[in-house]
Amino acid sequence: MTTSRPDPLAATRAWVETFVVARDVCPFAGREVARGSIRTVAVPALDREAALLALFDECRHLEATPEVETTLLVLTEGLEDFDDYLDLLEIAEALLAEQGYEGTFQLASFHPDYVFADAEPDDPANFTNRSPFPMWHLLREAGLERALAHHPNPEGIPERNIAAMRELGHATLARVLAALRGTD
């Protein structure tokens, strides 16, 4: 039996609600989900230049729309290979700085095959940055700074998440992500 690929935006929203918020991976996401201030945009990345232009369209959208706190740019096709994704991410981050957005916006990166530089591929800790589809999370730095200022232990968030992911284990986390991607 073949299953059809889920809608990348619906899968991403489900991941945010059932994984990121439900497991408190990002202690600030629940508030933004409740406020409806997360924008989710599909961006095909077969044309790298067009994907980068979409990133800057979203920067301008955030500048013009203060009620939107953050944008998830779901890279729907063209960046399935993690190394290709990292190459374009590096360019995107350099262009953000070059275009004067450093200090205003930053990118958080997510990919189904995300592996931290110092981690083994099967380390459950990688799931803190694994998402159903490749994604750039465009964040307002001011909003992030406000949220961090009100958190009792912002420095402890990564360690807490790593411990939680390792407790769940690679097999469980892989099943959750596969279900969201429609590949289980």
Side-chain angles (χ1 to χ4, degrees), residues 79 81-91 109 114-115:
L79 292 175
D81 180 82
F82 184 55
D83 289 329
D84 290 345
Y85 169 84
L86 289 177
D87 290 345
L88 192 59
L89 173 67
E90 184 178 349
I91 293 167
S109 58
Y114 200 98
V115 177

Side-chain angles (χ1 to χ4, degrees), residues 29-68:
R31 176 179 185 261
E32 301 311 323
V33 167
R35 290 179 58 217
S37 63
I38 300 173
R39 179 173 156 93
T40 311
V41 178
V43 178
L46 289 169
D47 178 339
R48 305 291 197 257
E49 185 176 330
L52 293 167
L53 289 171
L55 171 64
F56 290 100
D57 286 345
E58 285 308 308
C59 289
R60 288 186 290 278
H61 180 82
L62 288 175
E63 287 176 320
T65 318
E67 62 273 12
V68 176

Side-chain angles (χ1 to χ4, degrees), residues 6-30:
D7 171 49
L9 297 183
T12 298
R13 285 188 289 269
W15 170 76
V16 168
E17 292 174 12
T18 65
F19 185 78
V20 175
V21 173
R23 296 185 186 281
D24 202 30
V25 175
C26 175
F28 319 115

Side-chain angles (χ1 to χ4, degrees), residues 101-151:
Y101 286 115
E102 190 170 35
T104 303
F105 300 116
Q106 67 174 262
L107 285 179
S109 58
F110 298 88
H111 190 280
D113 298 321
Y114 200 98
V115 177
F116 288 104
D118 60 345
E120 293 297 319
D122 62 349
D123 184 343
N126 293 315
F127 282 88
T128 62
N129 285 62
R130 287 191 180 174
S131 56
F133 293 90
M135 179 176 53
W136 292 332
H137 181 186
L138 184 62
L139 297 126
R140 293 178 188 273
E141 289 220 7
L144 182 59
E145 289 170 8
R146 279 191 307 276
L148 290 171
H150 291 93
H151 191 276

